[in-house]
Amino acid sequence: MERVGFFCLMLCGYLHMISSETLHVRQKEGNIAVLHCGRLTNGKVTWSRDTNGQRVDILTTHDGETTKHIADPDRRYSSGANLALTIFRVSQSDAGRYYCSGATVELSVTEQTLHVRQKEGNIAVLHCGRLTKGKVTWSRDTNGQRVDILTTHDGKTTKHIADPHRRYSAGANLALSIFRVSQSDAGRYYCSGATVELSVTDRLKSMTTTSTATTTTTNRRSTEAPETETTTQGSYDS
């Protein structure tokens, strides 16, 4: 009888370990994250996640049919026959703990940093990683705080800051365009698909460097005396 009780205790502990199994998934911003529900591949599963201290249901999948419990206008969430939760175009806000009937999944989203360099006075175009469609909000670090610049969706742009000179815009490809960039525009920008580091070079220094290089080349050419070929003609006595 004691052996039976011990066996039940071990079995219950094993089942508890399976039910509380935590899987870890790491993905880059803008890519697709696939979260598997432990060893489950059939049956009925509801995926949920922690949001603001509460567990919120995302979707339920059963026999190939999916029912969503949250608004998903950009169709970022889906589930297939294997019960896995697929998240398209993952961003930092997607990082966290997800739950299903078979496991707990910890999703980590690594920052994808792109680097853009432009001269003062030109147009800087910042692409949102691989994203070319959907809804995107561009923001930047300003005085230690992240400030939203604009949101673009289906060709429509909503600006969140004053822009009297119309320096900021976004096109159909979700890229942020900054007209007449200056040194104050340099810094880190964020969107749903990537982080972009913008460097702005001083136009005057660039022009001075180019001018100096041209002058040096000209002086070098002028000091190189051309070779002169001298031909001496002989005289004949008649």
Side-chain angles (χ1 to χ4, degrees):
M1 189 69 180
E2 292 181 356
R3 291 183 178 180
V4 174
F6 178 75
F7 177 75
C8 289
L9 180 63
M10 292 294 293
L11 180 60
C12 291
Y14 177 71
L15 291 176
H16 175 72
M17 182 180 67
I18 292 178
S19 63
S20 61
E21 178 185 8
T22 300
L23 306 176
H24 295 272
V25 175
R26 182 184 298 271
Q27 188 55 276
K28 292 182 179 179
E29 284 183 312
N31 289 352
I32 301 173
V34 180
L35 315 184
H36 291 279
C37 189
R39 300 176 183 178
L40 292 181
T41 56
N42 55 46
K44 183 177 181 180
V45 162
T46 295
W47 280 96
S48 59
R49 70 165 298 188
D50 286 336
T51 303
N52 299 324
Q54 295 182 341
R55 187 172 297 188
V56 178
D57 290 344
I58 301 172
L59 57 79
T60 297
T61 179
H62 186 216
D63 291 339
E65 296 184 0
T66 300
T67 303
K68 295 184 180 179
H69 307 297
I70 59 172
D72 185 25
D74 300 319
R75 299 179 180 179
R76 295 181 59 240
Y77 301 98
S78 72
S79 183
N82 62 352
L83 308 184
L85 174 66
T86 303
I87 307 175
F88 297 90
R89 303 183 299 279
V90 292
S91 65
Q92 292 288 333
S93 62
D94 294 314
R97 184 159 289 192
Y98 292 76
Y99 306 91
C100 69
S101 306
T104 299
V105 184
E106 190 74 33
L107 173 62
S108 301
V109 181
T110 58
E111 191 176 84
Q112 180 184 0
T113 303
L114 307 176
H115 296 272
V116 175
R117 183 184 298 272
Q118 188 54 274
K119 294 179 182 179
E120 280 186 313
N122 288 354
I123 301 174
V125 180
L126 315 184
H127 292 278
C128 190
R130 299 177 181 178
L131 292 184
T132 56
K133 60 182 180 179
K135 183 178 181 180
V136 161
T137 295
W138 280 95
S139 58
R140 69 166 299 188
D141 286 336
T142 303
N143 299 326
Q145 294 183 340
R146 188 173 297 189
V147 178
D148 290 345
I149 300 172
L150 56 79
T151 297
T152 178
H153 187 214
D154 290 340
K156 297 181 180 179
T157 300
T158 302
K159 295 183 180 180
H160 307 296
I161 60 172
D163 186 24
H165 303 298
R166 298 181 180 179
R167 296 182 58 239
Y168 300 100
S169 72
N173 62 352
L174 308 183
L176 174 66
S177 297
I178 308 175
F179 297 88
R180 301 181 299 281
V181 290
S182 64
Q183 292 288 333
S184 62
D185 294 313
R188 184 160 287 193
Y189 292 76
Y190 305 91
C191 69
S192 305
T195 299
V196 184
E197 190 74 33
L198 173 62
S199 302
V200 180
T201 58
D202 191 310
R203 175 179 286 273
L204 183 60
K205 288 183 180 180
S206 178
M207 292 175 63
T208 302
T209 303
T210 304
S211 177
T212 303
T214 304
T215 303
T216 303
T217 303
T218 303
N219 291 338
R220 185 180 299 169
R221 290 178 178 175
S222 63
T223 55
E224 295 177 353
E227 295 182 358
T228 303
E229 182 178 354
T230 303
T231 303
T232 303
Q233 294 181 349
S235 59
Y236 296 91
D237 294 332
S238 55

